[in-house]
Amino acid sequence: DGVSSFVDDAESTGHTRKREPRTTTEWAWLAGFVLAIVVILVAGFLVARSGVRTILASTDGDVTNNVNDPGAPGYRLIVESSPTTALGIIVDGRLVSAALIVPSADAAGGTWLIVPAETVVDGGDRLADLWAASGNEALREPLADLVGVEPDSFEVLDELRFETLVDPTGPVELTLADDLFAATDAGPEVRFGSGRVVLDPDEFATFLAWQNPGESPANRVSRQRDALSAWLAAESVEPESPAIAGDLATTIATLAGGTAVVETIPLVGTNGTNDRFEVDVDAVRERVLEIAPFARAATSVTRPLTLVLNSTNNDQALTLAVATLAGSAGAQVTALGNGDDFLADSSTIRYVDETWADAARQIAETLGIDLVELDVAGNPAFDLTLVIGPDLAARAG
């Protein structure tokens, strides 16, 4: 073939063929080809860099962040939502309590907000009845609507899982005001005596569910608060424990690692009976925003997406403090940072269209901001922009 013939000829003559020198035309074509490759590479780099700059500078539904220095004007930071966990406690096949758990944002500890099973939600049903009719999935939406935020996760604890959670802690001690007893054929039988009570892990869920014959569920809720407080104060769950692995274990460990507050949602009272708790929904949602100011709004709740800008100085602690106040006042703060300069005369809330005018005024009134104005040229990624001026800085600093 052609390859073997060429090799044979080269070996027989003792030398190989030499390439003829390139002509002027060939050198010109080679130089042009190399130049074309260089031009293409440079053009590609410029287009890519331009594209990156366009994305970073875009204000169409995104957060502008061309500045990397947190102390410089124009810096932006996306705010992560406050972590929340919704919970249902099931004992003997019935819902005995629900809860919203909110770990502290800046340290260990947090809040366990008890939502009694007898709470009446929108539609007139009790949470206990919803669960009895349709199970766990029936709790998600009504509970989220009641507290006004969309929990990051929804967990269900039955007797066995609660025992697994409490087991690393060991027996839980608390003081009981009255005897807890069951009705039997032989008469009342004391199950938990008044005074000092020591609850083994396998008794804990049973205690949370206990209700004497004819007793108001309000008493049971009070005991739940005492028992949960005692447990979290002594709790020693390791987040990596395989038996309770996952977000719930981490949440409980964080809660118990500091000051854990256990409280009941604001209750208005009963509706003429002893087993239906009416609630002040606005008060419940306000309390939730106090402990979870950056939590995501429930689908049934509309809160304005808000950018908080410090136009007084580059004090990040001040910016975060004002953002927290704005979140507690009903703003869905999704980003914060520095203004384009630090020369603001006064604090301002700007809204992008009239849809958000009332919300802007309500938040401004809560924060003591006098100036509220329409800004049709504002960043469309946000419904409101809160500009921190020296007046608000002085009050929040």
Side-chain angles (χ1 to χ4, degrees):
D1 55 69
V3 175
S4 60
S5 297
F6 176 78
V7 173
D8 292 341
D9 290 344
E11 291 176 347
S12 64
T13 59
H15 63 274
T16 58
R17 296 177 183 177
K18 294 183 178 179
R19 180 181 178 85
E20 295 294 328
R22 296 183 188 275
T23 65
T24 302
T25 301
E26 289 176 326
W27 279 112
W29 275 105
L30 180 60
F33 177 77
V34 173
L35 179 61
I37 293 297
V38 172
V39 170
I40 290 172
L41 291 175
V42 171
F45 169 75
L46 293 176
V47 170
R49 186 176 66 173
S50 175
V52 170
R53 285 180 172 175
T54 300
I55 292 172
L56 288 176
S58 172
T59 58
D60 186 11
D62 205 345
V63 178
T64 302
N65 190 14
N66 287 331
V67 181
N68 295 322
D69 181 4
Y75 176 75
R76 302 286 188 274
L77 177 66
I78 296 175
V79 176
E80 294 184 1
S81 61
S82 302
T84 56
T85 299
L87 193 67
I89 300 174
I90 312 298
V91 179
D92 290 333
R94 62 189 180 94
L95 180 74
V96 300
S97 184
L100 183 72
I101 304 175
V102 183
S104 177
D106 53 2
T111 303
W112 183 304
L113 196 61
I114 296 175
V115 183
E118 293 77 16
T119 298
V120 177
V121 295
D122 188 27
D125 293 317
R126 305 182 314 164
L127 289 177
D129 298 329
L130 292 175
W131 187 88
S134 303
N136 300 334
E137 288 300 320
L139 293 179
R140 291 176 182 266
E141 188 173 343
L143 192 55
D145 179 64
L146 174 65
V147 299
V149 302
E150 194 66 37
D152 297 315
S153 61
F154 178 77
E155 301 279 352
V156 176
L157 295 179
D158 57 14
E159 298 96 321
L160 182 59
R161 197 168 187 215
F162 226 127
E163 178 183 349
T164 305
L165 276 173
V166 179
D167 188 63
T169 310
V172 177
E173 298 184 16
L174 68 154
T175 300
L176 190 59
D178 302 299
D179 291 338
L180 299 185
F181 57 87
T184 67
D185 293 338
E189 180 179 301
V190 175
R191 178 65 176 84
F192 300 98
S194 60
R196 178 175 173 271
V197 176
V198 180
L199 301 174
D200 291 329
D202 61 349
E203 297 178 306
F204 196 82
T206 300
F207 182 87
L208 294 179
W210 200 272
Q211 189 173 337
N212 283 337
E215 184 183 27
S216 167
N219 292 349
R220 188 188 70 221
V221 172
S222 179
R223 289 193 295 270
Q224 290 173 350
R225 185 172 60 246
D226 293 342
L228 291 168
S229 297
W231 169 50
L232 292 172
E235 201 275 332
S236 59
V237 170
E238 293 295 333
E240 296 80 10
S241 173
I244 53 171
D247 293 339
L248 179 60
T250 302
T251 298
I252 296 297
T254 300
L255 207 66
T259 300
V261 177
V262 181
E263 61 183 81
T264 308
I265 60 171
L267 299 174
V268 174
T270 58
N271 187 20
T273 66
N274 203 32
D275 62 352
R276 292 174 65 85
F277 291 147
E278 301 288 340
V279 297
D280 183 338
V281 175
D282 290 338
V284 172
R285 292 177 177 177
E286 287 175 8
R287 178 58 185 144
V288 170
L289 287 182
E290 287 177 2
I291 59 178
F294 303 127
R296 294 178 298 142
T299 55
S300 60
V301 177
T302 301
R303 299 212 306 268
L305 302 181
T306 303
L307 169 65
V308 176
L309 296 179
N310 189 340
S311 289
T312 298
N313 53 46
N314 58 6
D315 185 345
Q316 296 179 59
L318 169 64
T319 309
L320 181 59
V322 172
T324 301
L325 292 173
S328 297
Q332 183 77 68
V333 179
T334 55
L336 53 80
N338 299 328
D340 295 333
D341 57 53
F342 300 126
L343 303 175
D345 295 326
S346 62
S347 300
T348 308
I349 293 185
R350 302 172 181 146
Y351 53 94
V352 295
D353 62 60
E354 291 295 338
T355 304
W356 301 107
D358 289 341
R361 294 188 185 101
Q362 291 175 4
I363 294 171
E365 182 178 356
T366 301
L367 299 183
I369 296 175
D370 295 327
L371 184 57
V372 179
E373 60 186 22
L374 176 65
D375 182 12
V376 293
N379 190 328
F382 307 100
D383 304 313
L384 306 180
T385 297
L386 191 163
V387 178
I388 304 173
D391 51 338
L392 185 55
R395 294 196 303 271

